[in-house]
């Protein structure tokens, strides 16, 4: 006699809906599609540059004359949007190349819009790639250990850069400097310049994360001293993330973002539940690099892990996912 003979059999068997791929597809709660993907691109000044980023296999710094092939591939993959970062030849204390009409980002925006008018172009707005000190705005004076970014004077620079990108044809500007009041300043600058329809995608909850390491190589934006913890968020703070987001919503943000994504799924879910604006999440360089490294060592199935990580971000509530896996994921999702 079986020791379980007297145990009643379950009436509800959820495994019934998992028996084959078609059934699983029919009851799937969360869908990940190419429409959810945004591809980041790094634009450098110069010619004939397609420089591999060593800590991010498969990613490159691209000069303008190399950008066209990449755009063709993204359009063919039906990826709806790109996020642009610029690496200028000239850097100074204010980051003045950020609003140079002939700088890397405005030039790339014009080229993309001529080649692929329907591709949505998002321009990251920050000073760190453009300043010679690697921080996200104008610095305060004082002793080295007390120097930080001077918030209010930096707002004008962010607004100037945003207007320059809008003038070049950007659909969306995405301020990532984490300065208090940056959304209001940028919205005012855009409206004064006549760009009322330019969307502001706010990096509303951007954490001071160790996961950004490889990006510093990609964007050549490593701080020359200190770090960014005095203006980016503490990883321990969830309620503060809601407060930061609420301020950006009040200032006129159109879309919201949480960055990073994988270690902050709880923040994505909290922002999704609290606010009714479109929500993005950024699967950052360190997240990508870890999957790549583990896959290169044969420890994981890269395709399955990458898609699962993206699905988790989508399940948490993000409808837009900025990811270095955009092009590969688009191909995998077609299979």
């Amino acid at each position: 006699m079986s020791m379980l003979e007297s145990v009643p059999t379950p009436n509800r068997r959820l495994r019934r809906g998992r028996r084959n791929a078609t059934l699983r597809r029919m009851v799937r709660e969360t869908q990940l599609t190419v429409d959810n993907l945004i591809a980041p691109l790094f634009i450098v000044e110069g010619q004939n540059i397609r420089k591999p980023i060593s800590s991010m296999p498969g990613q490159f710094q691209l000069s303008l004359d190399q950008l066209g092939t990449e755009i063709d591939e993204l359009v063919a993959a039906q990826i709806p949007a790109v996020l642009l970062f610029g690496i200028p030849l000239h850097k100074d204390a204010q980051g003045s190349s950020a609003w140079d009409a002939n700088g890397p980002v405005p030039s790339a925006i014009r080229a993309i819009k001529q080649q692929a008018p329907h591709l949505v172009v998002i321009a990251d707005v920050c000073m760190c790639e453009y300043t010679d000190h690697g921080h996200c705005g104008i610095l305060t004076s004082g002793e080295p250990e007390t120097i930080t970014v001077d918030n209010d004077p930096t707002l004008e620079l962010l607004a100037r850069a945003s207007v320059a990108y809008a003038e070049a044809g950007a659909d969306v500007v995405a301020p990532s400097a984490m300065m208090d009041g940056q959304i209001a300043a940028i919205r005012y600058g855009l409206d004064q310049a006549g760009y009322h329809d330019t969307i502001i995608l706010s990096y509303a909850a951007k954490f001071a994360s160790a996961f950004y390491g490889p990006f510093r190589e990609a964007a050549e934006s490593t701080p020359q001293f200190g770090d960014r913890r005095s203006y980016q968020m503490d990883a321990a703070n969830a309620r503060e993330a809601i407060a930061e987001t609420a301020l950006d919503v009040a200032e006129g943000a159109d879309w919201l973002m949480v960055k990073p994504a994988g270690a902050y799924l709880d923040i994505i879910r909290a922002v999704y539940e609290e606010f009714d604006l479109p929500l993005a999440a950024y699967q950052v360089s360190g997240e990508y690099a870890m999957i790549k490294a583990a896959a290169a060592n044969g420890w994981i199935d890269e395709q399955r892990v990458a898609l699962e990580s993206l699905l988790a971000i989508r399940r948490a509530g993000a409808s837009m996912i900025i990811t270095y896996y955009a092009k590969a994921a688009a191909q995998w999702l077609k299979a």
Side-chain angles (χ1 to χ4, degrees):
M1 177 179 175
S2 168
M3 63 182 294
L4 299 180
E5 186 174 322
S6 61
V7 177
T9 58
N11 291 322
R12 189 180 185 194
R13 295 179 182 267
L14 297 181
R15 286 181 56 189
R16 290 171 183 147
R18 305 173 194 150
R19 285 187 298 110
N20 59 55
T22 303
L23 288 170
R24 289 192 296 272
R25 193 173 82 239
M26 290 173 65
V27 299
R28 191 159 290 145
E29 298 175 25
T30 303
Q31 303 295 328
L32 175 69
T33 76
V34 69
D35 293 337
N36 302 123
L37 305 176
I38 298 171
L41 297 174
F42 298 95
I43 312 302
V44 295
E45 293 187 278
Q47 290 186 326
N48 200 31
I49 299 171
R50 184 178 171 85
K51 181 181 178 183
I53 300 166
S54 63
S55 55
M56 299 170 65
Q59 303 299 308
F60 302 86
Q61 291 180 341
L62 300 169
S63 56
L64 207 59
D65 59 324
Q66 298 294 306
L67 181 60
T69 300
E70 187 71 20
I71 296 302
D72 282 342
E73 292 177 359
L74 293 172
V75 170
Q78 298 183 309
I79 290 168
V82 293
L83 172 63
L84 302 183
F85 298 93
I87 302 99
L89 289 174
H90 171 74
K91 299 191 179 192
D92 58 33
Q94 288 195 322
S96 60
S97 291
W99 56 84
D100 180 357
N102 295 312
V105 169
S107 298
I109 294 168
R110 289 191 295 269
I112 292 169
K113 282 300 181 182
Q114 184 173 8
Q115 179 178 348
H118 299 297
L119 185 67
V120 171
V121 178
I122 307 168
D124 179 84
V125 184
C126 193
M127 299 294 112
C128 61
E129 302 107 297
Y130 302 93
T131 55
D132 52 13
H133 47 74
H135 280 280
C136 299
I138 298 173
L139 297 181
T140 59
S141 57
E143 297 301 317
E145 62 271 14
T146 66
I147 292 175
T148 186
V149 175
D150 199 349
N151 191 99
D152 292 5
T154 296
L155 299 180
E156 182 178 351
L157 308 188
L158 297 171
R160 288 181 69 178
S162 297
V163 170
Y165 303 151
E167 286 177 345
D171 302 285
V172 184
V173 294
S176 61
M178 286 300 285
M179 295 295 110
D180 294 339
Q182 64 182 11
I183 303 302
I186 289 169
R187 184 75 272 163
Y188 180 81
L190 290 170
D191 288 350
Q192 286 294 105
Y195 297 104
H196 306 284
D197 292 334
T198 302
I199 293 168
I200 299 178
L201 167 56
S202 165
Y203 285 72
K206 180 181 180 182
F207 291 83
S209 174
F211 285 96
Y212 301 151
F215 179 90
R216 307 277 167 79
E217 176 196 354
E220 300 181 13
S221 61
T222 303
Q224 297 303 299
F225 64 91
D227 55 40
R228 299 186 176 122
R229 284 183 285 186
S230 65
Y231 45 100
Q232 293 178 359
M233 284 190 58
D234 191 312
N237 296 354
R239 290 192 300 172
E240 186 184 10
I242 298 300
E244 283 279 11
T245 305
L247 287 170
D248 285 3
V249 171
E251 290 176 20
D254 300 291
W255 297 349
L256 304 171
M257 187 198 302
V258 174
K259 179 183 181 183
Y264 296 84
L265 296 177
D266 60 322
I267 307 298
I268 297 171
R269 171 52 62 171
V271 171
Y272 172 76
E273 291 181 345
E274 185 74 20
F275 304 99
D276 59 0
L277 294 179
L279 178 59
Y282 199 146
Q283 186 182 53
V284 299
S285 58
E287 298 175 70
Y288 173 84
M290 288 192 301
I291 296 173
K292 280 286 187 182
N297 279 284
W299 297 336
I300 60 171
D301 181 322
E302 180 180 12
Q303 177 177 333
R304 289 189 62 190
V305 170
L307 288 177
E308 185 176 336
S309 70
L310 295 172
L311 184 66
I313 298 165
R314 180 79 183 90
R315 190 181 66 240
S319 58
M320 297 171 282
I321 305 173
I322 302 160
T323 174
Y324 301 98
Y325 270 113
K327 191 161 57 174
Q331 299 302 323
W332 293 333
L333 289 168
K334 287 181 182 179

